[in-house]
Amino acid sequence: MKTLVVCNWKMNPSSWKEAKKLFEETKKAAGKARSVSVVVAPPALYLRELSKLARSIPLAVQHAHADEGGAHTGEISLAQAAESKATYAIIGHAERRAQGETIEDTNKQILSALAHKMTPILCVGESTRSIQGEYFETVRSQVKGALTTVPQNRIATIIIAYEPVWAIGAPRPMAPRDMHEMGIFIRKTIVQGWGDVGHAVTVLYGGAVDSTNAAQILDEGDVRGFLVGRASAEPEKIKALIQSLS
Ligand code: 13P
């Protein structure tokens, strides 16, 4: 199975010219790495133009509203994102939850993404950790809440990106051992609600992933790939990261 690298460019780069260059470099590196498959999540206004540059690199929207239309100034809908060629949708990123996005919102977005034939990438993760282990409950409620009423035959198509909030933008990722533990916990949570198909759910890790740590995480962390921020938004860094996995 290929390693999935989802490039979350966030609000970068600052111009279309740079976005095009970053995308071309990412595509080139991905083309050489047979064991890696890459998805790019650019700022939404670049989706349609980027879709013309490569069919081999699927695109994701970083966030979109569940409603089909209406009075939501500044938002775009999942329907519009799908029509602009996004085939994946990042849902519930920590930076969106910090802006007030609720578990109910993530649930509506998952259902809307599925209705528009997109693959949801649901981000979950605790803000802090303590020895009492309450972070497991946090992640369980994010997973169960977002997936409420998702039919059993669609559950295996959902991708879960475990991104502990404290590791996003941090100097180092979390220990692979702890990722491994959370990966098992997430799959167990889904199996409890939806049965054995839950074992097939793809779990990614995100938070301070780069070319110096990705291969080791893959070896020891029991994850199928990564959601990458900073190291995806510069041509040299994403090239090095993809190379380190192939
Ligand atoms: P960094 O890779 O910059 O830590 O960001 C992780 C992230 O939030 C990806 O969605």
Side-chain angles (χ1 to χ4, degrees):
M1 192 160 306
K2 288 189 177 192
T3 303
L4 180 61
V5 175
V6 181
C7 299
N8 180 7
W9 290 1
K10 305 192 178 181
M11 204 167 69
N12 303 297
S14 54
S15 69
W16 163 243
K17 195 174 155 202
E18 286 171 275
K20 208 167 126 180
K21 176 162 185 265
L22 177 59
F23 189 76
E24 292 292 2
E25 293 294 329
T26 304
K27 185 178 93 173
K28 227 190 289 171
K32 289 185 194 150
R34 274 201 224 122
S35 56
V36 180
S37 70
V38 175
V39 173
V40 169
L45 80 173
Y46 297 151
L47 281 170
R48 189 177 286 277
E49 284 301 313
L50 289 179
S51 76
K52 295 176 189 161
L53 299 181
R55 293 206 178 169
S56 56
I57 307 279
L59 297 173
V61 67
Q62 295 175 10
H63 159 78
H65 201 284
D67 286 359
E68 297 291 304
H72 301 295
T73 301
E75 292 276 356
I76 61 163
S77 68
L78 282 150
Q80 290 165 332
E83 215 242 343
S84 301
K85 310 294 180 195
T87 50
Y88 290 74
I90 297 177
I91 289 169
H93 191 280
E95 288 150 16
R96 301 302 313 181
R97 293 187 197 255
Q99 299 290 320
E101 191 163 278
T102 64
I103 289 179
E104 290 70 35
D105 294 330
T106 62
N107 178 236
K108 289 182 190 150
Q109 290 161 17
I110 294 265
L111 297 174
S112 173
L114 290 173
H116 293 288
K117 303 195 167 30
M118 301 167 95
T119 301
I121 303 173
L122 173 68
C123 301
V124 298
E126 75 282 0
S127 302
T128 53
R129 281 204 159 197
S130 71
I131 47 168
Q132 282 82 24
E134 76 299 325
Y135 46 88
F136 283 115
E137 203 38 56
T138 303
V139 170
R140 190 208 308 271
S141 59
Q142 289 173 339
V143 169
K144 285 181 72 175
L147 300 184
T148 303
T149 74
V150 170
Q152 198 189 31
N153 65 359
R154 303 300 297 279
I155 210 77
T157 65
I158 310 263
I159 296 171
I160 309 276
Y162 172 54
E163 296 203 300
V165 181
W166 49 271
I168 296 174
R172 275 177 299 282
M174 89 188 300
R177 186 184 55 237
D178 295 333
M179 270 171 226
H180 193 126
E181 185 183 46
M182 190 55 92
I184 292 171
F185 179 79
I186 288 170
R187 281 192 291 268
K188 201 171 95 186
T189 299
I190 300 174
V191 168
Q192 276 164 358
W194 286 265
D196 279 346
V197 287
H199 290 298
V201 167
T202 297
V203 178
L204 310 178
Y205 167 78
V209 174
D210 63 25
S211 62
T212 68
N213 54 41
Q216 190 201 354
I217 294 175
L218 207 59
D219 269 357
E220 300 171 15
D222 186 33
V223 291
R224 300 251 295 271
F226 305 102
L227 182 54
V228 186
R230 284 159 296 168
S232 75
E234 287 176 45
E236 288 313 312
K237 288 188 180 172
I238 187 61
K239 217 159 76 181
L241 171 57
I242 293 172
Q243 273 168 7
S244 77
L245 294 169
S246 53

